[in-house]
């Protein structure tokens, strides 16, 4: 009665519908059973501000901030059967003289397994930390936050905060290079 092509079409439509329903159930279940990381801590050891030049404009001078920090966090509760990897990053948040809120990523890491989920880092900023107005003078103190992004195999990305500095950290006066 039906040709072979009609039967193949019906079978593949049924299988793809079942697969989509299964993937939707996985995505919803991973949203319902999210956990929070435990015991995170961010300490800023020192901040140094030096004058520097931008690569794009050789005549434009900008202040560059160098941040030394200590990070500890336990991200093992974030790993479950649907977690592919976690993108972890340290973000500096401060207000400019004009009242604009800036959020700058100064360090990041990809955590690929539960074995790497206990993070203990003593380091410095990985990316240039500079102020667009060319100087950190009269800039409000910055809060430093350890943020994470859970990347699942199936479903939506989940963002969160693992740790934060207890008090805002002031930018020191600019030093001159020797």
């Amino acid at each position: 009665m039906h040709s072979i092509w009609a039967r193949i079409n019906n079978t593949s439509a049924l299988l793809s519908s079942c697969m989509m329903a299964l993937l939707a159930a996985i995505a919803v279940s991973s949203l319902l059973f999210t956990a929070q990381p435990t015991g995170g801590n961010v300490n800023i050891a020192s901040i140094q501000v030096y004058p520097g030049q931008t690569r794009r404009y050789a005549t434009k001078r900008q202040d560059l901030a160098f941040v030394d920090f200590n990070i500890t966090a336990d991200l093992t509760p974030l790993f479950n059967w649907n977690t592919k990897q976690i993108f972890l990053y340290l973000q500096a948040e401060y207000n400019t003289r004009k009242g604009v809120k800036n959020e700058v990523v100064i360090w990041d890491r990809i955590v690929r397994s539960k074995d790497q989920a206990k993070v203990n880092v003593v380091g410095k900023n990985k990316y240039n930390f500079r102020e667009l107005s060319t100087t950190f003078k009269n800039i409000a103190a910055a809060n430093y936050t350890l943020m994470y992004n859970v990347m699942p195999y199936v479903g939506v990305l989940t963002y969160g905060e693992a740790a934060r500095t207890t008090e805002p950290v002031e930018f020191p006066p600019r030093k001159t290079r020797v």
Side-chain angles (χ1 to χ4, degrees), residues 8-70:
I8 290 173
N9 186 22
N10 289 340
T11 305
S12 64
L14 175 68
L15 291 177
S16 63
S17 297
C18 291
M19 181 65 76
M20 292 305 288
L22 179 65
L23 292 177
I26 289 172
V28 169
S29 69
S30 66
L31 281 177
L32 295 176
F33 301 112
T34 58
Q36 296 295 322
T38 57
N41 193 8
V42 174
N43 290 322
I44 303 302
S46 70
I47 300 177
Q48 295 149 4
V49 178
Y50 291 103
Q53 283 184 333
T54 62
R55 292 183 185 184
R56 184 175 279 173
Y57 306 107
T59 59
K60 188 175 180 182
R61 297 242 180 229
Q62 279 187 320
D63 284 350
L64 298 173
F66 297 93
V67 181
D68 294 326
F69 55 84
N70 303 327

Side-chain angles (χ1 to χ4, degrees), residues 55-107:
R55 292 183 185 184
R56 184 175 279 173
Y57 306 107
T59 59
K60 188 175 180 182
R61 297 242 180 229
Q62 279 187 320
D63 284 350
L64 298 173
F66 297 93
V67 181
D68 294 326
F69 55 84
N70 303 327
I71 295 173
T72 57
D74 184 14
L75 304 173
T76 52
L78 296 175
F79 276 93
N80 59 27
W81 54 272
N82 193 25
T83 303
K84 182 176 183 180
Q85 63 187 16
I86 297 174
F87 182 68
L88 186 67
Y89 56 99
L90 183 64
Q91 169 177 295
E93 304 169 3
Y94 63 94
N95 290 326
T96 63
R97 287 181 291 233
K98 294 182 179 180
V100 177
K101 183 179 179 181
N102 281 345
E103 295 177 346
V104 181
V105 174
I106 61 174
W107 174 87

Side-chain angles (χ1 to χ4, degrees), residues 103-123:
E103 295 177 346
V104 181
V105 174
I106 61 174
W107 174 87
D108 66 0
R109 174 181 283 177
I110 295 175
V111 180
R112 298 185 194 276
S113 68
K114 202 170 190 174
D115 299 335
Q116 302 171 349
K118 291 194 178 188
V119 178
N120 190 3
V121 176
V122 176

